Amino acid sequence: MAADALSIIPGAVLRNLSDKLYEKRKNAALEIEGIVKQLATAGEHDKISAVISLLTTEFTYSPQANHRKQGGLIGLAAVTVGLTSEAAQHLEQIVPPVLASFQDQDSRVRYYACEALYNIAKVVRGDFIIYFNKIFDALCKLSADSDANVQSAAHLLDRLVKDIVTESDQFSIEEFIPLLRERMNVLNPYVRQFLVGWITVLDSVPDIDMLGFLPDFLDGLFNMLSDSSREIRQQADAALSEFLQEIKNSPNVDYGRMAEILVRRAGSTDEFTRLTSITWINEFVKLGGEQLVPYYADILGAILPCISDEEEKIRVVARETNEELRAIKADPTEGFDIAAILSIAKRELNSEHEATRIEALHWFSTLLSRYRVEFLAYLNDIFDPLLNALSDPSDAVVLLVLEVHACIAEESHHFHHLVSYLIRTFHDNHVLLEKRGALIVRRLCVLLGAEKVYREFSTILESEIDLDFASVMVQALNLILLTSTELGELRSLLKKSLVDSCGKDLFQSLYASWRHSPMATISLCLLAQAYSHASCVIQSMGEDDINVKFLVQLDKLIRLLETPVFTYLRLQLLEPGKHTWLLKTLYGLLMLLPQQSVAFKILRTRLKTVPFSENLRRTSSANPYSQILQVTEDGNRNQDTQNYSAINFPSLLQQFENMQQQHRNHLKGQLQSRKSASAATLLQEIQRYEEAHSSSLSEISRPPSRTSEGIS
C-alpha cells in the first residue's frame, strides 16, 4: 500500500511536505489536496486510504519532529479538505493520528495538531461528533498546556467544536457525562474553566438535558466555589444559579441524589460553598416535598450546625430551612425515619453552639408531639443524653430540656426516672444544685404541677442513704417552696393542712423527707400553721443540733418571715390570744439565735410590735413569754390547736426525733472516722520519721569504742 501511495504522490511533493519553508509545505499540501480530490471523484478510495496510511506512517508517527509537525499533520488536513463531503468514511484513519499528536513532547507538534484538527473539523462538521469524547479529553488536557501558543490554538479549536456540537443532532449526552464526571475532580484552574465553559454551553442547548444529569457533576461545580481564582468561582456560581433556576421551573427533578451532595457541601470550610449549598437545600425543602422524606435526617444534620454559623447570611437561611423542614408533616409509614432524625438531634445536643443545641431540642419536642408512640419506642437511646443536657451551661437549653422531659414524663415511670436522675445529678454535682437547682425545680413545677413534683422529690428523698445530701436537698427544696411565685398554689394548699384533707395529705407527704432538716421542718409547720408542732420541734432540739449550718438556715428563715409569703403569719400576731403557739414558736426561734446577730434583732423587733392586752401585761409583769404561757393554758382561747386531731403530730414528732438521731449518729461516725484517719496519719508519720532516722539513732545509742588512750 505504501508503494501505491508513492506512485500516487510524487517524491518531490513528499519532500516539500516536511520542508522548513512554509511556502513549500503549503504548496505540497495543496498538491495532495488536488490529488485526493481527483481520486475521490474517480471513487478510488483504496488509493486514498493508501495515501493516508503513508502520511501517518512516514510522517505523523515519524521519529523526526519536522516530519510529525510539518508533514503528517498538514498532509492529513489536506486529504480531508480534498475529500470534502466524502471525508466521513476516512475519519477513522485521519483523526486518531492527529489526536495522538496532542500528547507529543514537542509543543510545536501539539500546536500543529490543533491546527490540523481545526481544519478537519471545519470540513466534516457533524460527522466529527463520533470522536467527541476523545477530542474533548484531548482539549481538556491542552487547556492546561504549558505552552501559551498551544493553549491559544486549543481555545480556537474548542470554540469550533462547541459550535459543531450545539448544531448537531448526533451528540450523545449519555456517553459524554461519565467523562465529564471524571474530569470534574481536576484541580487545575485552566481545566476548571474549560469544564465550566462546556457545561454552560451544553446547558444552553434546548435538545440536551443537562439538568437530568446534574447530580453527576454537581459536586464538581460546588468544589469550584472555593477555587483560589475569583473568575472560576464566579463562573461556577453563575452555572449553579442557572441550574437552580431551571430546577424551580422543572416538574421532574432528582432531588435525592443532589441532596446527598448538598449535605456534604454544607459542612465545607469555605464560607461561600456553605452559603450556596444551604441556599440550595432551602429551595429543595420548599420544592422537593415528599421526594426528600428519606433524606430528612441528612438534611437536618446539615442544617443544625449552620444555624450557629459565623456568617449571618448562612444562619438566616439555615433557620428558615429548619422551620420549613419542621413544618412538613411526614408519615413514618412512608419512609420518614424518626430514628435517624432522633440520632441527628441527639448528636447535636453535644454541639458547642447554644443555638444548635436549642434547635435540636425543638426537634425532640416536635417529634414527641407528633409521633409520640414512635418516639417513645426509641426512648432508651435518647433518654440519658436528654438527662445529661440538664447540666447544660445555658439556661435556655435547660428550660427546653425540661419541656421535653415534662412531655415524656406523662407516663409515671418516666416521671419517676426523671426525678430520680435529678436527685442523683444534684448529689454528684452540688454546684449544679446551687446554681441551677431552683431553675430546674421551678420549671418542672410549672410543666408538671408543683404538688406532683414535690411529692415525688419527697418520696425519693425519704429513703436517701446519704443523710448529708438529703438534708442539703431538702433545704434547697424548702427554700424554693418559700420563695418561688410558681409554688404559690402549693403554699396555699399547705396552709389548709389542718382543715383540708388534701392539704393534710400533702403536709404529711412532705414531712416524710423534710424531717431530714430541722429548719425545713419548722418552715413547713409555719406554712401549714401547725404552730404547736413547730414549737415542739424547736424544744426537741439539743445542743448538738445548734451548729453553724443550722444558724445560717435560721437566719434565712427569719428574713423570709418578713416577706409577702408570710403576710398571713404576721397578721395573726395581731391576735396573740388566738395564736399563742405561733408566739411561742417565734420566741423559741429567738432564743436559739445569738443576741448580736441581725436575725435576732429583726425577730425581736417584730415581736415587740405584738399587741398584748393590758390585763396580760399587769398579770405577768410585762414578760411577753409568761403572757404566752398564760394564754396557752386557756385552750378555749387558743385556735392554734384546733383540728390537730386530724394529723397524728405525736407520731410525726417521734419520726422527726428518730431521723435527727440518725443524723447525730452519722455526724458522730464522721467525726470518729476523721479522728481515726488523723491518728493513722500521725502514726504513719511517726513510723516514717523513725525509719528515716533509725541509722542516726543507732549511732547515738551505740557505746563508745575503747581506744588505747582511753585505757591509759
Side-chain angles (χ1 to χ4, degrees):
M1 186 172 286
D4 293 341
L6 289 172
S7 65
I8 297 170
I9 301 176
V13 172
L14 294 175
R15 286 193 297 273
N16 289 337
L17 198 60
S18 58
D19 197 276
K20 293 182 179 180
L21 294 176
Y22 173 74
E23 287 299 324
K24 288 186 176 183
R25 295 199 305 274
K26 180 179 178 182
N27 290 331
L30 289 173
E31 289 192 41
I32 291 176
E33 178 184 331
I35 293 170
V36 170
K37 188 177 295 185
Q38 292 176 1
L39 292 173
T41 302
E44 298 187 41
H45 288 280
D46 289 342
K47 292 182 179 181
I48 295 174
S49 295
V51 170
I52 296 172
S53 296
L54 174 66
L55 293 173
T56 302
T57 306
E58 299 298 325
F59 291 89
T60 307
Y61 292 141
S62 172
Q64 298 181 38
N66 283 343
H67 281 211
R68 296 199 304 276
K69 65 188 178 185
Q70 296 165 355
L73 293 171
I74 195 172
L76 290 174
V79 169
T80 307
V81 174
L83 284 168
T84 59
S85 61
E86 299 184 45
Q89 58 185 301
H90 293 283
L91 285 180
E92 189 174 345
Q93 278 185 284
I94 296 171
V95 174
V98 179
L99 292 176
S101 298
F102 283 143
Q103 302 180 32
D104 200 284
Q105 294 182 351
D106 191 324
S107 62
R108 297 297 294 170
V109 173
R110 299 197 298 275
Y111 175 84
Y112 281 111
C114 291
E115 184 181 76
L117 195 58
Y118 182 90
N119 292 324
I120 294 168
K122 279 201 305 183
V123 174
V124 298
R125 302 298 289 185
D127 294 328
F128 190 63
I129 295 298
I130 60 173
Y131 295 100
F132 174 76
N133 275 14
K134 293 180 179 180
I135 294 169
F136 178 88
D137 193 37
L139 287 173
C140 186
K141 296 173 182 175
L142 290 177
S143 64
D145 199 279
S146 58
D147 189 284
N149 291 326
V150 175
Q151 280 193 20
S152 179
H155 289 161
L156 289 173
L157 175 60
D158 181 55
R159 283 200 292 270
L160 176 60
V161 175
K162 285 175 180 173
D163 290 341
I164 294 171
V165 169
T166 55
E167 67 186 25
S168 172
D169 58 359
Q170 299 178 25
F171 176 75
S172 174
I173 184 66
E174 291 82 2
E175 295 179 6
F176 169 64
I177 287 298
L179 176 61
L180 176 63
R181 182 174 58 240
E182 180 184 341
R183 290 291 176 265
M184 290 299 287
N185 295 321
V186 177
L187 301 179
N188 186 281
Y190 296 108
V191 174
R192 283 184 162 183
Q193 282 186 308
F194 171 81
L195 294 172
V196 175
W198 266 101
I199 290 171
T200 303
V201 166
L202 292 176
D203 187 47
S204 67
V205 180
D207 295 334
I208 297 177
D209 181 23
M210 284 295 282
L211 182 60
F213 294 94
L214 181 57
D216 290 285
F217 55 88
L218 180 65
D219 192 56
L221 280 176
F222 267 93
N223 202 28
M224 294 180 190
L225 292 176
S226 58
D227 196 276
S228 57
S229 168
R230 179 182 178 85
E231 184 177 358
I232 293 174
R233 293 198 302 272
Q234 290 176 337
Q235 289 177 348
D237 182 47
L240 286 168
S241 298
E242 182 62 31
F243 277 119
L244 185 57
Q245 190 59 44
E246 291 177 28
I247 289 172
K248 293 178 182 179
N249 299 327
S250 176
N252 300 312
V253 178
D254 183 2
Y255 290 102
R257 286 180 60 196
M258 290 189 285
E260 295 176 355
I261 296 168
L262 298 175
V263 165
R264 290 197 303 271
R265 290 298 172 181
S268 171
T269 55
D270 178 68
E271 180 182 300
F272 187 51
T273 303
R274 292 200 306 277
L275 176 59
T276 307
S277 61
I278 204 71
T279 301
W280 274 60
I281 291 174
N282 179 271
E283 294 295 341
F284 275 27
V285 170
K286 294 176 182 177
L287 299 169
E290 296 179 356
Q291 285 191 47
L292 290 174
V293 169
Y295 303 94
Y296 274 9
D298 293 334
I299 293 174
L300 182 63
I303 292 172
L304 290 180
C306 288
I307 286 174
S308 303
D309 199 278
E310 295 179 358
E311 174 56 44
E312 183 181 3
K313 292 180 181 178
I314 297 176
R315 294 198 301 271
V316 171
V317 178
R319 285 188 177 280
E320 179 185 331
T321 309
N322 185 53
E323 294 304 318
E324 291 279 352
L325 192 64
R326 192 158 52 225
I328 299 173
K329 296 182 179 180
D331 191 336
T333 61
E334 298 177 357
F336 184 66
D337 193 344
I338 292 178
I341 293 182
L342 285 174
S343 178
I344 294 295
K346 181 175 72 172
R347 182 190 73 191
E348 295 305 327
L349 277 181
N350 296 319
S351 169
E352 60 180 319
H353 302 291
E354 177 184 349
T356 294
R357 299 197 300 276
I358 286 175
E359 291 306 320
L361 287 165
H362 281 312
W363 271 97
F364 278 118
S365 297
T366 299
L367 294 176
L368 185 54
S369 62
R370 292 183 188 170
Y371 316 104
R372 183 176 184 84
V373 175
E374 292 83 359
F375 182 99
L376 294 179
Y378 300 103
L379 191 58
N380 289 338
D381 295 329
I382 60 175
F383 198 68
D384 286 343
L386 277 172
L387 289 173
N388 294 335
L390 289 170
S391 301
D392 195 278
S394 164
D395 286 350
V397 171
V398 171
L399 292 175
L400 281 172
V401 173
L402 290 171
E403 288 186 14
V404 176
H405 278 299
C407 193
I408 296 173
E410 291 179 9
E411 282 83 7
S412 59
H413 61 285
H414 292 317
F415 174 65
H416 176 77
H417 190 177
L418 171 61
V419 178
S420 297
Y421 175 85
L422 281 175
I423 290 176
R424 290 199 309 273
T425 303
F426 290 145
H427 177 276
D428 299 334
N429 189 347
H430 283 211
V431 175
L432 180 66
L433 174 60
E434 180 182 343
K435 294 184 176 180
R436 288 284 181 72
L439 174 69
I440 293 173
V441 173
R442 289 166 58 188
R443 189 59 184 166
L444 274 183
C445 288
V446 171
L447 296 169
L448 295 171
E451 182 177 352
K452 178 181 179 181
V453 170
Y454 262 70
R455 282 179 178 273
E456 190 67 23
F457 268 112
S458 182
T459 299
I460 297 173
L461 288 170
E462 181 182 357
S463 56
E464 174 61 44
I465 299 175
D466 188 339
L467 298 180
D468 291 333
F469 167 71
S471 178
V472 171
M473 189 69 209
V474 164
Q475 291 161 24
L477 290 170
N478 184 65
L479 185 61
I480 297 169
L481 175 62
L482 297 178
T483 57
S484 300
T485 55
E486 295 90 341
L487 275 72
E489 293 185 6
L490 193 64
R491 292 193 294 269
S492 298
L493 183 58
L494 283 170
K495 290 176 187 176
K496 303 174 185 177
S497 297
L498 302 182
V499 296
D500 181 88
S501 60
C502 294
K504 164 193 167 184
D505 190 49
L506 175 60
F507 174 82
Q508 291 177 319
S509 175
L510 297 186
Y511 194 97
S513 62
W514 256 239
R515 57 199 174 100
H516 278 292
S517 167
M519 192 48 57
T521 303
I522 295 169
S523 301
L524 183 64
C525 292
L526 292 178
L527 275 179
Q529 303 185 67
Y531 304 131
S532 176
H533 186 67
S535 179
C536 293
V537 168
I538 293 171
Q539 293 185 54
S540 72
M541 299 181 64
E543 61 178 280
D544 292 340
D545 302 321
I546 313 302
N547 50 37
V548 174
K549 291 182 180 179
F550 176 84
L551 293 175
V552 170
Q553 297 165 38
L554 179 54
D555 182 276
K556 290 181 181 178
L557 176 60
I558 299 305
R559 295 173 189 273
L560 286 171
L561 291 176
E562 299 298 317
T563 64
V565 171
F566 285 104
T567 299
Y568 71 93
L569 183 149
R570 297 196 300 275
L571 291 176
Q572 287 174 350
L573 294 176
L574 292 172
E575 300 179 286
K578 293 182 179 180
H579 303 286
T580 51
W581 280 110
L582 170 58
L583 282 168
K584 188 173 182 180
T585 297
L586 295 179
Y587 270 104
L589 295 176
L590 186 68
M591 295 303 109
L592 297 177
L593 286 165
Q595 293 189 41
Q596 300 304 316
S597 66
V598 176
F600 179 88
K601 296 173 183 177
I602 292 173
L603 183 55
R604 184 179 62 177
T605 301
R606 172 62 63 183
L607 290 172
K608 282 182 178 180
T609 63
V610 176
F612 293 105
S613 66
E614 285 297 321
N615 181 49
L616 289 175
R617 292 182 188 279
R618 288 195 300 271
T619 58
S620 51
S621 304
N623 184 343
Y625 194 73
S626 64
Q627 296 170 29
I628 296 169
L629 294 175
Q630 181 176 340
V631 175
T632 303
E633 291 172 358
D634 186 358
N636 295 326
R637 296 176 60 193
N638 181 17
Q639 293 186 359
D640 289 348
T641 57
Q642 293 180 8
N643 299 307
Y644 261 47
S645 59
I647 300 176
N648 188 350
F649 281 105
S651 175
L652 292 183
L653 183 61
Q654 185 62 48
Q655 294 174 27
F656 171 79
E657 291 177 344
N658 291 341
M659 180 59 71
Q660 290 307 303
Q661 188 58 49
Q662 290 182 39
H663 278 271
R664 295 186 195 105
N665 294 338
H666 175 67
L667 180 59
K668 289 178 182 178
Q670 285 183 323
L671 293 174
Q672 187 61 41
S673 297
R674 290 171 189 164
K675 289 179 181 179
S676 300
S678 298
T681 302
L682 179 60
L683 181 60
Q684 290 174 357
E685 290 293 330
I686 293 173
Q687 289 175 344
R688 281 197 292 269
Y689 178 84
E690 289 178 345
E691 290 172 0
H693 296 79
S694 59
S695 58
S696 301
L697 291 171
S698 62
E699 288 294 331
I700 294 171
S701 60
R702 184 183 303 156
S705 60
R706 295 181 179 272
T707 62
S708 56
E709 285 185 286
I711 296 173
S712 61

